[in-house]
Amino acid sequence: MKLRGMYYKLRLRKCGWGTVIDKYVNLKGQRNLEIGESCVINSFVHIWAGPAGLKIGNRVMIASHVAITTLTHDYEDESMRFAPPVDKGIEIGDDVWIGAHAIIMPGIHIGKGAVIGAGAVVTKDVPAHSIVAGVPARLMKHVKEDVIQR
């Protein structure tokens, strides 16, 4: 476990103290990936971080089988398959929980304290302290900030 932690500290743009990246996690574009402190990334997560970058805040929990990508194809390009990918950065705020099998699409901002339901496909920004679920992900509930600070 300690060797894996040292490996990620050397390979990623940033890997915070106390972060745990489980076995069988697939990280592409490691130099474009920043992970905060005390995060947990469970097994079978796939992360593709293009040059636009992917920033994960502190204390973020990512369940198994989640896919996060900053890269996509331009479906309007006739040679879409051979054209350069479209790259849009992603930012995941502090204290976010991403449920199993969720998909985070390029260009998304997830606010602090948000919860992404299991199996959700996130195609739009997620406000802070909110819960989203479904395909595509929709706002289910917004938790008032004063309740969280108790």
Side-chain angles (χ1 to χ4, degrees):
M1 190 65 129
K2 289 186 180 196
L3 287 175
R4 189 177 315 126
M6 291 298 292
Y7 171 80
Y8 287 120
K9 288 215 178 277
L10 295 171
R11 300 288 299 182
L12 302 181
R13 182 184 295 164
K14 176 188 170 196
C15 185
W17 182 87
T19 288
V20 176
I21 300 173
D22 210 348
K23 295 182 287 187
Y24 313 117
V25 172
N26 185 1
L27 302 176
K28 301 289 186 193
Q30 294 177 4
R31 286 286 176 211
N32 303 317
L33 177 58
E34 297 181 27
I35 303 174
E37 296 182 358
S38 301
C39 294
V40 176
I41 301 176
N42 282 294
S43 294
F44 308 110
V45 169
H46 294 266
I47 295 176
W48 294 269
L54 170 56
K55 294 180 183 178
I56 298 173
N58 299 316
R59 299 170 304 279
V60 173
M61 298 182 296
I62 302 176
S64 64
H65 300 278
V66 168
I68 303 172
T69 181
T70 68
L71 301 167
T72 189
H73 295 280
D74 181 2
Y75 63 87
E76 293 179 345
D77 189 327
E78 286 181 23
S79 62
M80 163 175 68
R81 185 170 169 210
F82 303 105
V86 176
D87 185 21
K88 297 178 184 176
I90 295 174
E91 188 169 338
I92 300 171
D94 295 342
D95 304 304
V96 169
W97 176 18
I98 302 174
H101 293 273
I103 300 171
I104 312 299
M105 299 300 290
I108 299 299
H109 178 271
I110 300 175
K112 179 179 180 175
V115 176
I116 309 300
V121 177
V122 181
T123 60
K124 294 182 181 176
D125 289 353
V126 177
H129 307 292
S130 62
I131 300 170
V132 299
V135 180
R138 294 185 186 168
L139 182 65
M140 298 290 139
K141 184 176 182 179
H142 189 78
V143 182
K144 293 182 182 174
E145 199 167 338
D146 59 331
V147 173
I148 295 169
Q149 294 177 357
R150 285 190 214 175

